[in-house]
């Protein structure tokens, strides 16, 4: 739960070491564009974190359904129609039913402009005066496209219906068996073990001691570890029997329904007493009851009001650059179609006036003017040339993307066997965008690192313990030969390693009081839950850091054994001690510390506290010792990129504690700014602390991270690290990135102060002069060498908002100028690290680069604090790590390790981009070559809208004769294999530059299509002009010309795709040859006499194919036409590959040589980045979740309730 920062920070300016408070954005907030977020007036107040009294408008009366239908709880839905504001529990997740599927699906499909355009054409073809093509030439392709899309939508909706069947029809227990859909707000329900929770429910009591309830939240956040929920003490004591539950009549006042899964605030008024409610008292819909025989609860939110349904709403729709470009090109084709049709219509008007009206044999009996005939001809040519706009383009693109997504899912080289986690493409619309990434924004902890913590060093009373990590990485003789032997400690974790034997000797001697207090604090001051499984202690911690510290204390002889409602027991070396727990002040990302107040067996009251050095040092007593030496040690730990925590204590008198306890209880029931009130109380007691020492924990880099960064850097992909960690760790990340780029490192780390000075110097420049420029007039770093930028969240707030507000007032252009300055400077650096940034700031940084660099961005993270960044970037990648699955659930692609990003981009991304570009270039070409034959034919047909082909050829050209080969190229083609793609990252550059598909390529395809259409029409036309067949007859008729032209076209387009294919398989050969065979097979069938007898008006080319194709010179005509059409392409490709070869051409030419070299390199390949141990650390992060303090301090133990207290339950389960 987010809490306001304590007022004791006391700094108005930006603080580099402090993470500024910012509420995490919800999905509703994400609907606003990132540009609006960045340009909001400077100094605008942040939205409050707490629910105000005016927002506490949700009232729930237990066991009183009529109460919720009172007029005061009604809302207007339409005009005077009102209904209750409380939703029912029935959920409609599907879109269609039996009656609405066809009309609704057709309505949705015809919202696409292309489908609507072809429907309009179909209507035009019904008009006799306009239509020159039969209606089926448009209807059949349109029906196929609509049918394929409808089947896909139907399958998706059937899955939703199955969810509805298994969700809304489920049974829960409400004194009588009831289905979910019948539950209403205010009902008291009973759930059993392994039941799904049907609504957002206030937990009242359970069969566990003190109403403790275990839930699995996998449906909410993907995490399978159990969470703890608890009921209020008063409801636990008084609501165990069915009669008591039936008479329960409390009034709940709480916040309105919202999508904050991490927040709930309310109060319960019962028996004239008010009791505070928070998220720990709530069972959320979608969770599952575990390890709890039965529990009872009160429905607070139902149906669409539940938090999980509120989170299922709007998400950002992402489109690729190729999508946008393709749409513009379709609009261009529309414009060309209209221009060509208009030109031909004008030509028909002049032709009819000069020739047609004077030719008696052309008289059709209609008294129509030349201009009117031209008008009809315009619409006729719109119909004839409609194939310039490819109706099957969008369906084909979706099929290709679906196949590419399956290839990602099936890639075994992106499968993480350790966790049985395959790669997953969670979207099918962004694959080719993976081949165009320019900027990667990465979280650090859990994304670049393993988020598996190991206790490595510590400082106690000014003395440091633990191995010198840098020395150990270089000289093995300077550290102990063997790690510490833990055989003397029966509770030790055998996986724990520590190399400094001196600390163990001091502990076992029991002579150093400071060392004793140090490890006693680690074993007592935490929120870890413990279970005893088969004689082994198993710890469940809220964060990996806390688990590592308690495990360290356990190995050093201070073993956390158990805790109850008000006690905590540990084993101190050889004897067990139990302490009374008076209060537990939990950790959150704003407090950056946690404390526990204990009563010792001898009656003393002591507070133990651990937290970040930035907050601990300002709360230390002036009499505290070892501050300077501890700070020196902290700096050394940070330089080694270890995660650090300071430990301290304070003795409290009985009177002081009694006075503070009263204030604490008042703050716990506050309805206004409850968290702020608690923070003020915490601040009061957490003062004048005495420093004991500090811990240092190691978080290793994941396997392959430096190598992956090195390869991506060679592909000219820039990596920015956005993290909540300390600034001290950033320098090591900079070194990792820079060392990956070259062997020599000349790093100029620009601090926040230097960056602020540079912005101040540039402020005199007119803001308008900077706008629209991709590069600054003067580079920020004129000196050569590698530059790194390290900034903090505090600086981002201070410099981009505070400076603007104080210097430029509300000047929007000035604000934009400063943002451009920041982006320009950052983009000149080899490494950019933003530390101490909040989730919203991460998203804002991504938005800045998207806005001002117009670059394709990718964000990758593993935790809930990365969701905003993942949603904001063009591509979002989730790592299934140690911080749950929220990042994965919000991502477009997901896998288990950062190193798989290399293969995702350089192999799948590059292949997808190349395939899609080839597909689109060829698709436009084949349609232009096919359609523009009508244009050339119109010069010899009086511009009369007559078609150059047979009607059925027009119908089946895109469906059967030319679709399969290009689809297979879009699915299977690859210029080089995956290993060579990774060996030569420069192959990725064309995608970043967008050089394989743009308007230049589009017009090349257009002119290529014009050239081929010209050849395909005029060579047969010339051959037919003065010819004589073998039988003495002239076969120079229209139908024979149509057959030869169509045959030439089919051979040309299928051989053209063969020239464009780089990767041949049996399937490709079959598709090319099969398409040609299908063409001849269908053509001879529809030109046969038998089908003409059955359908005389639809099949009029009787015998045309057999008559024309039995003439040898017509086959020679076809061969000549195809040869001339393909010869320029062959020559151009030869010249490009020999005189102007690309990087890909060079790699293809030397493929076998490189493959042999790679086989040798695999045996003896040095690491791209020699990793010393100090290069694998990270500083302490303040972004992990709250602990179990509320659970522990509320007096909920893990002990089972005696069987005698359980009551019988006679209801049947489902």
């Amino acid at each position: 739960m987010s809490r306001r920062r304590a007022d004791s920070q006391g700094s108005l300016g930006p603080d580099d070491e402090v993470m500024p408070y910012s509420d995490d954005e919800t999905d509703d907030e994400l609907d606003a564009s990132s540009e609006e977020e960045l340009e909001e007036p400077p100094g605008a107040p942040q939205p409050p974190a707490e629910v105000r009294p005016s927002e506490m408008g949700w009232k729930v009366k237990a066991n009183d359904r009529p109460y919720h239908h009172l007029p005061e709880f009604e809302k207007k839905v339409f005009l005077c129609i009102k209904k209750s504001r409380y939703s029912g529990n029935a959920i409609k997740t599907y879109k269609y039913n039996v009656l609405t599927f066809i009309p609704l699906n057709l309505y949705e499909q015809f919202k696409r402009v292309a489908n609507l355009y072809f429907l309009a054409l179909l209507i035009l073809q019904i008009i006799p005066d306009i239509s020159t093509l039969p209606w089926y030439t448009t209807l059949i392709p349109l029906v196929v496209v609509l049918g394929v899309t409808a089947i896909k939508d139907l399958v998706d909706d059937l899955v939703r219906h199955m969810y509805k069947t298994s969700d809304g029809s489920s049974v829960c227990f409400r004194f009588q068996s009831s289905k979910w859909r019948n539950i209403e707000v205010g009902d008291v329900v009973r759930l059993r073990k392994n039941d799904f929770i049907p609504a957002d429910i206030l937990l009242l009591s359970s069969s566990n001691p003190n109403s403790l309830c275990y839930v699995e939240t996998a449906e909410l956040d993907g995490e399978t570890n159990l969470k703890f929920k608890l009921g209020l003490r008063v409801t636990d004591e008084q609501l165990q029997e069915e009669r008591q539950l039936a008479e329960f009549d409390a009034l709940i006042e709480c916040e309105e329904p919202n999508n904050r899964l991490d927040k709930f605030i309310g109060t319960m008024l019962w028996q004239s007493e008010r009791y505070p409610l928070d998220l720990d008292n709530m069972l959320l819909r979608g969770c599952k009851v575990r390890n709890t025989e039965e529990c009872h609860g009160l429905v607070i939110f139902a149906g669409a009001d539940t938090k999980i349904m509120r989170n299922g709403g709007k998400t950002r729709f992402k489109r690729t650059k190729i999508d946008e470009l393709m749409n513009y090109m379709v609009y261009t084709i529309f414009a060309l179609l209209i221009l060509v049709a208009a030109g031909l219509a004008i030509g028909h008007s002049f032709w009819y006036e000069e020739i047609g009206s004077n030719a008696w044999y052309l008289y059709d009996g209609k008294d129509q003017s030349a201009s009117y005939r031209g008008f009809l001809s315009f619409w006729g040519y719109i119909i004839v040339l409609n194939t310039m706009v490819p109706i099957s383009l969008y369906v084909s693109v979706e099929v290709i993307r679906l196949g590419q997504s399956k290839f990602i899912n099936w890639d075994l080289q992106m499968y993480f066997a350790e966790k049985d986690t395959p790669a997953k493409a969670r979207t099918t619309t962004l694959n080719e965008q993976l081949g165009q990434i320019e900027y990667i924004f990465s979280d650090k902890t859990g994304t670049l690192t393993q988020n598996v913590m190991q206790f490595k060093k510590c400082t106690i009373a000014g003395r440091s313990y633990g191995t010198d990590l840098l020395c150990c990485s270089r000289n093995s003789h300077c550290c102990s030969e063997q790690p510490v032997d833990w055989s003397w400690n029966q509770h030790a974790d055998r996986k724990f390693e520590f190399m400094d034997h001196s600390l163990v000797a001091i502990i076992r001697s029991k002579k150093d009081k400071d060392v004793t207090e140090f490890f006693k604090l680690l074993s007592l001051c935490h929120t870890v839950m413990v279970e005893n499984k088969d004689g082994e202690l198993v710890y469940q911690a809220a964060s990996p850091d806390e688990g590592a510290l308690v495990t360290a204390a356990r190995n050093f002889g201070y073993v956390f054994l158990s805790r109850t409602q008000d006690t905590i027991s540990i084993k101190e070396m050889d004897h067990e001690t139990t302490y009374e727990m008076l209060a537990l002040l939990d950790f959150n990302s704003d407090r950056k510390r946690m404390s526990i107040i204990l009563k010792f067996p001898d009656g003393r009251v002591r507070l133990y506290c651990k937290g970040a050095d930035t907050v601990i040092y300002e709360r230390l007593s002036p009499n505290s010792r070892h501050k300077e030496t501890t700070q020196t040690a902290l700096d050394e730990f940070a330089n080694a990129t270890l995660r650090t925590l300071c430990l301290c204590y304070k003795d409290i008198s009985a009177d002081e504690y009694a006075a503070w306890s009263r204030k604490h209880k008042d703050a716990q029931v506050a309805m206004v700014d409850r968290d702020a009130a608690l923070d003020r109380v915490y601040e009061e007691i957490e003062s004048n602390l005495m420093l004991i020492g500090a811990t240092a924990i190691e978080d290793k880099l994941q396997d392959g991270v430096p190598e992956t960064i090195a390869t991506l850097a060679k592909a000219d992909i820039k990596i920015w690290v956005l993290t909540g960690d300390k600034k001290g760790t950033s320098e090591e990340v900079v070194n990792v990135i820079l060392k990956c780029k070259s062997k020599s490192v000349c790093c100029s780390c620009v601090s926040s102060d230097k960056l602020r000075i540079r912005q101040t110097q540039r402020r005199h420049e007119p803001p308008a002069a900077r706008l629209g420029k991709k590069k600054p007039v003067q580079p920020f770093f004129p000196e050569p060498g590698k530059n790194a930028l390290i900034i903090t969240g505090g600086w981002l707030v201070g410099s981009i908002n505070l400076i603007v507000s104080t210097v430029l007032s509300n000047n929007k252009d000035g604000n934009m100028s400063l943002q451009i300055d920041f982006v320009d400077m950052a983009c000149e650096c080899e490494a950019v690290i933003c530390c101490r940034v909040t989730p919203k700031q991460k998203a804002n940084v991504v938005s800045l680069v998207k806005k001002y660099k117009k670059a394709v961005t990718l964000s990758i993270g593993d935790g809930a604090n990365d969701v905003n960044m993942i949603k904001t970037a063009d591509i979002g990648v989730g790592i299934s790590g140690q911080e749950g699955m929220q990042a994965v659930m919000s991502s477009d692609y997901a896998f288990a390790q950062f190193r798989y990003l290399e293969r995702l981009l350089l192999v799948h991304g590059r292949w997808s981009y190349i395939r899609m570009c080839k597909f689109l270039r060829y698709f436009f070409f084949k349609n232009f070559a096919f359609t523009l034959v009508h244009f050339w034919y119109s010069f010899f047909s009086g511009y009369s809208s007559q078609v150059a082909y047979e009607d059925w050829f027009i119908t089946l050209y895109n469906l059967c004769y030319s679709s399969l080969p290009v689809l297979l190229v879009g699915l299977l083609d690859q210029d080089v294999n995956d290993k060579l793609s990774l060996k030569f990252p420069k192959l990725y550059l064309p995608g970043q530059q967008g050089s394989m598909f743009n308007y230049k390529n589009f017009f090349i395809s257009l002119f290529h299509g014009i050239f081929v259409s010209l050849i395909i029409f005029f060579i047969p036309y010339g051959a037919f002009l003065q010819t004589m067949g073998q039988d003495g007859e002239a076969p120079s008729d229209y139908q024979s010309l149509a057959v030869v032209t169509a045959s030439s076209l089919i051979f040309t387009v299928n051989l053209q795709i063969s020239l464009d294919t780089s990767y041949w398989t049996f399937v490709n050969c079959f598709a090319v040859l099969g398409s040609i065979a299908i063409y001849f097979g269908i053509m001879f069938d529809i030109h046969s006499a038998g089908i003409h007898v059955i359908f005389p008006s639809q099949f009029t080319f009787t015998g045309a194919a057999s008559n024309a194709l039995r003439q040898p010179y017509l086959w020679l005509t076809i061969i000549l036409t195809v040869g001339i059409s393909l010869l320029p392409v062959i020559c151009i490709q030869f010249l490009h590959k020999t005189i102007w070869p690309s990087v890909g051409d060079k790699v293809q030419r030397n493929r076998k040589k490189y493959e042999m070299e790679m086989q040798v390199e695999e045996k003896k390949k040095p690491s791209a980045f020699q990793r010393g141990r100090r290069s694998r650390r990270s500083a302490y992060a303040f972004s992990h979740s709250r602990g179990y303090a509320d659970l522990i301090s509320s007096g909920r133990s893990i002990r089972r309730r005696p069987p005698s207290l359980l009551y019988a339950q006679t209801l049947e389960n489902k």
Side-chain angles (χ1 to χ4, degrees), residues 39 45 99 194 342 401 491 689 740 826 909 1020:
E39 296 179 5
L99 297 177
N194 297 328
R401 285 173 172 169
H491 294 289
L689 305 174
C740 288

Short mmCIF file of all heavy atoms in Angstrom, two decimals, residues 39 45 99 194 342 401 491 689 740 826 909 1020:
data_model
loop_
_atom_site.label_atom_id
_atom_site.label_comp_id
_atom_site.label_asym_id
_atom_site.label_seq_id
_atom_site.Cartn_x
_atom_site.Cartn_y
_atom_site.Cartn_z
N GLU A 39 3.05 17.23 -20.40
CA GLU A 39 2.90 18.65 -20.62
C GLU A 39 1.89 19.29 -19.67
O GLU A 39 1.43 20.38 -19.89
CB GLU A 39 2.46 18.90 -22.07
CG GLU A 39 3.52 18.46 -23.08
CD GLU A 39 3.06 18.68 -24.50
OE1 GLU A 39 1.97 19.27 -24.68
OE2 GLU A 39 3.77 18.30 -25.43
N PRO A 45 -0.40 19.63 -8.51
CA PRO A 45 -0.34 18.70 -7.37
C PRO A 45 -0.60 17.28 -7.80
O PRO A 45 -1.37 17.03 -8.71
CB PRO A 45 -1.45 19.21 -6.44
CG PRO A 45 -2.39 19.92 -7.35
CD PRO A 45 -1.56 20.51 -8.44
N LEU A 99 -28.39 -15.17 -31.47
CA LEU A 99 -29.16 -14.23 -32.27
C LEU A 99 -28.33 -13.03 -32.75
O LEU A 99 -28.57 -12.50 -33.84
CB LEU A 99 -30.37 -13.73 -31.47
CG LEU A 99 -31.39 -14.79 -31.07
CD1 LEU A 99 -32.49 -14.17 -30.23
CD2 LEU A 99 -31.98 -15.46 -32.31
N ASN A 194 -10.48 -24.48 -1.49
CA ASN A 194 -10.33 -24.60 -2.94
C ASN A 194 -11.47 -23.98 -3.73
O ASN A 194 -11.53 -24.14 -4.95
CB ASN A 194 -10.15 -26.06 -3.37
CG ASN A 194 -8.90 -26.69 -2.83
OD1 ASN A 194 -7.89 -26.00 -2.65
ND2 ASN A 194 -8.94 -27.98 -2.56
N ALA A 342 -11.12 8.42 -63.28
CA ALA A 342 -11.58 9.71 -63.82
C ALA A 342 -10.95 9.99 -65.18
O ALA A 342 -11.63 10.47 -66.11
CB ALA A 342 -11.24 10.82 -62.82
N ARG A 401 1.08 -13.06 -39.28
CA ARG A 401 1.43 -12.69 -37.90
C ARG A 401 1.12 -13.82 -36.93
O ARG A 401 1.88 -14.05 -35.98
CB ARG A 401 0.69 -11.41 -37.51
CG ARG A 401 1.26 -10.16 -38.16
CD ARG A 401 0.39 -8.96 -37.88
NE ARG A 401 1.03 -7.73 -38.32
CZ ARG A 401 0.42 -6.55 -38.41
NH1 ARG A 401 -0.88 -6.48 -38.08
NH2 ARG A 401 1.06 -5.48 -38.80
N HIS A 491 20.40 -25.89 12.68
CA HIS A 491 19.36 -25.19 11.93
C HIS A 491 19.91 -24.46 10.70
O HIS A 491 19.15 -23.79 10.00
CB HIS A 491 18.65 -24.17 12.82
CG HIS A 491 17.87 -24.79 13.94
ND1 HIS A 491 16.70 -25.48 13.74
CD2 HIS A 491 18.10 -24.83 15.28
CE1 HIS A 491 16.23 -25.91 14.90
NE2 HIS A 491 17.07 -25.53 15.86
N LEU A 689 17.83 7.24 17.18
CA LEU A 689 18.22 5.84 17.10
C LEU A 689 19.73 5.69 17.30
O LEU A 689 20.50 6.61 17.02
CB LEU A 689 17.82 5.26 15.74
CG LEU A 689 16.33 5.41 15.36
CD1 LEU A 689 16.09 4.93 13.93
CD2 LEU A 689 15.45 4.63 16.32
N CYS A 740 30.71 -3.64 -22.74
CA CYS A 740 30.13 -4.49 -23.77
C CYS A 740 30.26 -3.86 -25.15
O CYS A 740 30.20 -4.54 -26.15
CB CYS A 740 28.64 -4.74 -23.48
SG CYS A 740 28.37 -5.85 -22.11
N ALA A 826 20.62 12.78 -23.50
CA ALA A 826 20.61 11.36 -23.14
C ALA A 826 20.93 10.49 -24.35
O ALA A 826 21.65 9.50 -24.23
CB ALA A 826 19.26 10.98 -22.55
N GLY A 909 12.47 -11.13 -34.54
CA GLY A 909 12.09 -9.78 -34.95
C GLY A 909 12.57 -9.44 -36.35
O GLY A 909 11.82 -8.93 -37.18
N PRO A 1020 1.42 -10.06 -76.06
CA PRO A 1020 0.34 -10.86 -76.67
C PRO A 1020 -0.49 -10.09 -77.68
O PRO A 1020 -0.91 -10.64 -78.71
CB PRO A 1020 -0.51 -11.29 -75.45
CG PRO A 1020 0.44 -11.27 -74.31
CD PRO A 1020 1.35 -10.10 -74.59
#
